Amino acid sequence: MVYSLRIYPKNMKLIFIHGFVEDHTIFNEIRKTITQGDQIALDLETVLREWHDAPEDLDVVKMASYLIQQYKITAQDCVIGHSMGGWIASYIKEQVGCKAILLASFTDQKKLITPLTNPTLIKYLIKTGIFQSSVIEWFLKKDYKFKESKQLYDGLIDGLVKLDKKILYQQFQILFAKVKPLSITPNLRVHARKDNIVGFPDEEFIEVSGDHFSLVYYPEQVIDAIRKIV
């Protein structure tokens, strides 16, 4: 089934922000049916690499501010974020009032399903090379239980192991650095109950099939959910 979005004004920017150690290709399936607006699909690795004066105390608020400045995001725009990208999208909305659509994402850091949340400890593990070792790679892969997205997930872990240490740590800072709670509500949350990376929201959301990567394997459902609010 093919869906089309007919709600965006011509001069509206549609900004896609991917999740932790992902890249813009995570949106390929849903972008096949979204043709409206001036689309910008970010690669955060490139953004961070080119941000030469990025603050050492980086957090999601500072990341959102930088993206607003770089891409001239305004209230008329719409930001669609997957996982960490939705976390960033929410803080962009906080600052400029644009639409924010969260896919398998969160507005409360406690929703991240991980025992490792301390940026100082994470920085040490990355600096020593432990975090990107073959042992950690094996550990991260061994218990992933969803066959449908296993190949995709394993590919992301392969990328994590090879990623520049500074950029890897910056992404962890975006995820875990403490920031002021949001005062806004995203326009839409789309989530799968079987997501084992981000817990499903306490707030109202539209449920879709699959796991954390529903936007890849069930794009029609994700697009249909987006169409319910626009």
Side-chain angles (χ1 to χ4, degrees):
M1 185 178 296
V2 176
Y3 295 97
S4 62
L5 300 179
R6 297 182 292 274
I7 43 72
Y8 302 124
K10 288 183 179 180
N11 57 350
M12 178 183 196
K13 292 191 297 294
L14 194 59
I15 298 102
F16 295 86
I17 307 178
H18 62 74
F20 179 73
V21 304
E22 298 173 352
D23 61 34
H24 75 277
T25 61
I26 201 73
F27 294 106
N28 279 357
E29 291 302 315
I30 66 170
R31 289 186 70 203
K32 288 177 182 178
T33 61
I34 300 177
T35 59
Q36 286 78 4
D38 181 12
Q39 295 190 24
I40 301 171
L42 304 184
D43 273 322
L44 291 179
E45 179 179 354
T46 300
V47 171
L48 290 167
R49 195 180 301 279
E50 294 177 351
W51 190 4
H52 301 299
D53 58 346
E56 291 188 7
D57 60 343
L58 182 63
D59 58 35
V60 67
V61 175
K62 295 181 180 72
M63 184 78 253
S65 297
Y66 181 74
L67 294 178
I68 291 166
Q69 177 185 7
Q70 288 296 107
Y71 298 98
K72 297 179 174 57
I73 303 173
T74 68
Q76 71 178 0
D77 297 327
C78 178
V79 184
I80 299 178
H82 178 246
S83 195
M84 181 180 74
W87 174 236
I88 298 170
S90 296
Y91 278 91
I92 292 176
K93 176 174 180 176
E94 174 95 350
Q95 295 183 41
V96 301
C98 64
K99 290 184 179 179
I101 295 176
L102 277 58
L103 310 179
S105 188
F106 59 97
T107 51
D108 179 353
Q109 290 161 309
K110 294 178 182 178
K111 288 295 182 179
L112 288 162
I113 303 172
T114 174
L116 195 61
T117 61
N118 185 304
T120 302
L121 176 58
I122 291 170
K123 185 176 184 178
Y124 170 78
L125 294 175
I126 293 173
K127 185 176 180 180
T128 60
I130 295 172
F131 198 88
Q132 293 174 293
S133 67
S134 58
V135 173
I136 296 299
E137 180 181 7
W138 169 82
F139 176 78
L140 292 172
K141 289 181 178 180
K142 72 180 182 71
D143 290 330
Y144 192 78
K145 60 185 178 180
F146 300 113
K147 292 181 180 179
E148 186 173 56
S149 58
K150 173 67 172 170
Q151 183 177 358
L152 171 57
Y153 174 81
D154 284 355
L156 294 175
I157 300 303
D158 291 340
L160 180 155
V161 170
K162 299 174 184 177
L163 189 61
D164 178 87
K165 286 181 171 58
K166 179 180 179 181
I167 291 174
L168 177 59
Y169 178 60
Q170 286 175 319
Q171 293 197 37
F172 273 118
Q173 287 180 296
I174 293 167
L175 283 174
F176 295 122
K178 298 303 181 184
V179 291
K180 184 178 180 180
L182 289 158
S183 63
I184 56 85
T185 301
N187 297 82
L188 175 70
R189 300 173 191 260
V190 181
H191 217 93
R193 290 272 176 179
K194 292 182 179 179
D195 193 324
N196 70 330
I197 295 175
V198 178
F200 62 86
D202 298 319
E203 303 86 355
E204 182 179 355
F205 70 101
I206 295 179
E207 184 174 351
V208 292
S209 302
D211 51 54
H212 189 65
F213 303 101
S214 297
L215 77 167
V216 176
Y217 299 98
Y218 298 91
E220 298 90 352
Q221 292 186 25
V222 173
I223 291 294
D224 191 38
I226 293 172
R227 293 175 74 239
K228 291 180 184 301
I229 66 146
V230 292

PDB file of all heavy atoms in Angstrom, residues 219-230:
ATOM      1  N   PRO A 219       6.979   0.274   7.333  1.00  0.00           N
ATOM      2  CA  PRO A 219       6.886   1.702   6.991  1.00  0.00           C
ATOM      3  C   PRO A 219       5.465   2.164   6.718  1.00  0.00           C
ATOM      4  O   PRO A 219       5.119   3.315   7.012  1.00  0.00           O
ATOM      5  CB  PRO A 219       7.767   1.827   5.745  1.00  0.00           C
ATOM      6  CG  PRO A 219       7.794   0.454   5.145  1.00  0.00           C
ATOM      7  CD  PRO A 219       7.764  -0.471   6.329  1.00  0.00           C
ATOM      8  N   GLU A 220       4.625   1.280   6.169  1.00  0.00           N
ATOM      9  CA  GLU A 220       3.249   1.678   5.876  1.00  0.00           C
ATOM     10  C   GLU A 220       2.510   2.041   7.154  1.00  0.00           C
ATOM     11  O   GLU A 220       1.737   3.005   7.193  1.00  0.00           O
ATOM     12  CB  GLU A 220       2.504   0.555   5.137  1.00  0.00           C
ATOM     13  CG  GLU A 220       3.091   0.203   3.785  1.00  0.00           C
ATOM     14  CD  GLU A 220       4.152  -0.884   3.879  1.00  0.00           C
ATOM     15  OE1 GLU A 220       4.528  -1.241   5.027  1.00  0.00           O
ATOM     16  OE2 GLU A 220       4.608  -1.360   2.820  1.00  0.00           O
ATOM     17  N   GLN A 221       2.735   1.260   8.220  1.00  0.00           N
ATOM     18  CA  GLN A 221       2.085   1.553   9.498  1.00  0.00           C
ATOM     19  C   GLN A 221       2.580   2.869  10.092  1.00  0.00           C
ATOM     20  O   GLN A 221       1.812   3.639  10.671  1.00  0.00           O
ATOM     21  CB  GLN A 221       2.327   0.411  10.491  1.00  0.00           C
ATOM     22  CG  GLN A 221       1.642  -0.885  10.127  1.00  0.00           C
ATOM     23  CD  GLN A 221       1.786  -1.933  11.218  1.00  0.00           C
ATOM     24  OE1 GLN A 221       1.975  -1.619  12.383  1.00  0.00           O
ATOM     25  NE2 GLN A 221       1.696  -3.196  10.822  1.00  0.00           N
ATOM     26  N   VAL A 222       3.857   3.118   9.952  1.00  0.00           N
ATOM     27  CA  VAL A 222       4.424   4.360  10.478  1.00  0.00           C
ATOM     28  C   VAL A 222       3.855   5.561   9.724  1.00  0.00           C
ATOM     29  O   VAL A 222       3.450   6.560  10.325  1.00  0.00           O
ATOM     30  CB  VAL A 222       5.961   4.334  10.405  1.00  0.00           C
ATOM     31  CG1 VAL A 222       6.549   5.680  10.796  1.00  0.00           C
ATOM     32  CG2 VAL A 222       6.512   3.230  11.307  1.00  0.00           C
ATOM     33  N   ILE A 223       3.814   5.470   8.401  1.00  0.00           N
ATOM     34  CA  ILE A 223       3.247   6.552   7.599  1.00  0.00           C
ATOM     35  C   ILE A 223       1.771   6.751   7.923  1.00  0.00           C
ATOM     36  O   ILE A 223       1.296   7.886   8.045  1.00  0.00           O
ATOM     37  CB  ILE A 223       3.421   6.263   6.091  1.00  0.00           C
ATOM     38  CG1 ILE A 223       4.898   6.355   5.696  1.00  0.00           C
ATOM     39  CG2 ILE A 223       2.597   7.234   5.260  1.00  0.00           C
ATOM     40  CD1 ILE A 223       5.502   7.732   5.802  1.00  0.00           C
ATOM     41  N   ASP A 224       1.049   5.666   8.096  1.00  0.00           N
ATOM     42  CA  ASP A 224      -0.367   5.765   8.426  1.00  0.00           C
ATOM     43  C   ASP A 224      -0.557   6.470   9.775  1.00  0.00           C
ATOM     44  O   ASP A 224      -1.471   7.284   9.941  1.00  0.00           O
ATOM     45  CB  ASP A 224      -0.986   4.365   8.483  1.00  0.00           C
ATOM     46  CG  ASP A 224      -2.502   4.401   8.547  1.00  0.00           C
ATOM     47  OD1 ASP A 224      -3.110   5.270   7.884  1.00  0.00           O
ATOM     48  OD2 ASP A 224      -3.083   3.562   9.273  1.00  0.00           O
ATOM     49  N   ALA A 225       0.323   6.190  10.729  1.00  0.00           N
ATOM     50  CA  ALA A 225       0.250   6.851  12.028  1.00  0.00           C
ATOM     51  C   ALA A 225       0.500   8.347  11.888  1.00  0.00           C
ATOM     52  O   ALA A 225      -0.222   9.174  12.473  1.00  0.00           O
ATOM     53  CB  ALA A 225       1.284   6.231  12.963  1.00  0.00           C
ATOM     54  N   ILE A 226       1.477   8.717  11.089  1.00  0.00           N
ATOM     55  CA  ILE A 226       1.776  10.130  10.878  1.00  0.00           C
ATOM     56  C   ILE A 226       0.576  10.851  10.276  1.00  0.00           C
ATOM     57  O   ILE A 226       0.229  11.970  10.654  1.00  0.00           O
ATOM     58  CB  ILE A 226       3.021  10.290   9.989  1.00  0.00           C
ATOM     59  CG1 ILE A 226       4.265   9.796  10.714  1.00  0.00           C
ATOM     60  CG2 ILE A 226       3.210  11.753   9.568  1.00  0.00           C
ATOM     61  CD1 ILE A 226       5.517   9.726   9.861  1.00  0.00           C
ATOM     62  N   ARG A 227      -0.110  10.187   9.374  1.00  0.00           N
ATOM     63  CA  ARG A 227      -1.255  10.803   8.697  1.00  0.00           C
ATOM     64  C   ARG A 227      -2.438  11.048   9.609  1.00  0.00           C
ATOM     65  O   ARG A 227      -3.312  11.848   9.324  1.00  0.00           O
ATOM     66  CB  ARG A 227      -1.697   9.924   7.518  1.00  0.00           C
ATOM     67  CG  ARG A 227      -0.688   9.854   6.374  1.00  0.00           C
ATOM     68  CD  ARG A 227      -1.105   8.896   5.279  1.00  0.00           C
ATOM     69  NE  ARG A 227      -2.188   9.439   4.479  1.00  0.00           N
ATOM     70  CZ  ARG A 227      -3.375   8.867   4.334  1.00  0.00           C
ATOM     71  NH1 ARG A 227      -3.664   7.757   4.977  1.00  0.00           N
ATOM     72  NH2 ARG A 227      -4.294   9.422   3.575  1.00  0.00           N
ATOM     73  N   LYS A 228      -2.468  10.389  10.767  1.00  0.00           N
ATOM     74  CA  LYS A 228      -3.583  10.555  11.698  1.00  0.00           C
ATOM     75  C   LYS A 228      -3.569  11.915  12.393  1.00  0.00           C
ATOM     76  O   LYS A 228      -4.569  12.354  12.931  1.00  0.00           O
ATOM     77  CB  LYS A 228      -3.551   9.440  12.748  1.00  0.00           C
ATOM     78  CG  LYS A 228      -3.878   8.056  12.197  1.00  0.00           C
ATOM     79  CD  LYS A 228      -3.837   7.012  13.283  1.00  0.00           C
ATOM     80  CE  LYS A 228      -4.058   5.606  12.716  1.00  0.00           C
ATOM     81  NZ  LYS A 228      -5.340   5.453  12.023  1.00  0.00           N
ATOM     82  N   ILE A 229      -2.422  12.577  12.408  1.00  0.00           N
ATOM     83  CA  ILE A 229      -2.363  13.855  13.129  1.00  0.00           C
ATOM     84  C   ILE A 229      -2.142  15.037  12.215  1.00  0.00           C
ATOM     85  O   ILE A 229      -2.046  16.171  12.681  1.00  0.00           O
ATOM     86  CB  ILE A 229      -1.241  13.826  14.180  1.00  0.00           C
ATOM     87  CG1 ILE A 229       0.129  13.741  13.515  1.00  0.00           C
ATOM     88  CG2 ILE A 229      -1.445  12.728  15.195  1.00  0.00           C
ATOM     89  CD1 ILE A 229       1.182  14.477  14.282  1.00  0.00           C
ATOM     90  N   VAL A 230      -2.026  14.801  10.924  1.00  0.00           N
ATOM     91  CA  VAL A 230      -1.695  15.918  10.045  1.00  0.00           C
ATOM     92  C   VAL A 230      -2.692  16.007   8.903  1.00  0.00           C
ATOM     93  O   VAL A 230      -3.513  15.128   8.727  1.00  0.00           O
ATOM     94  CB  VAL A 230      -0.268  15.756   9.473  1.00  0.00           C
ATOM     95  CG1 VAL A 230       0.749  15.896  10.568  1.00  0.00           C
ATOM     96  CG2 VAL A 230      -0.112  14.436   8.741  1.00  0.00           C
TER      97      VAL A 230
END
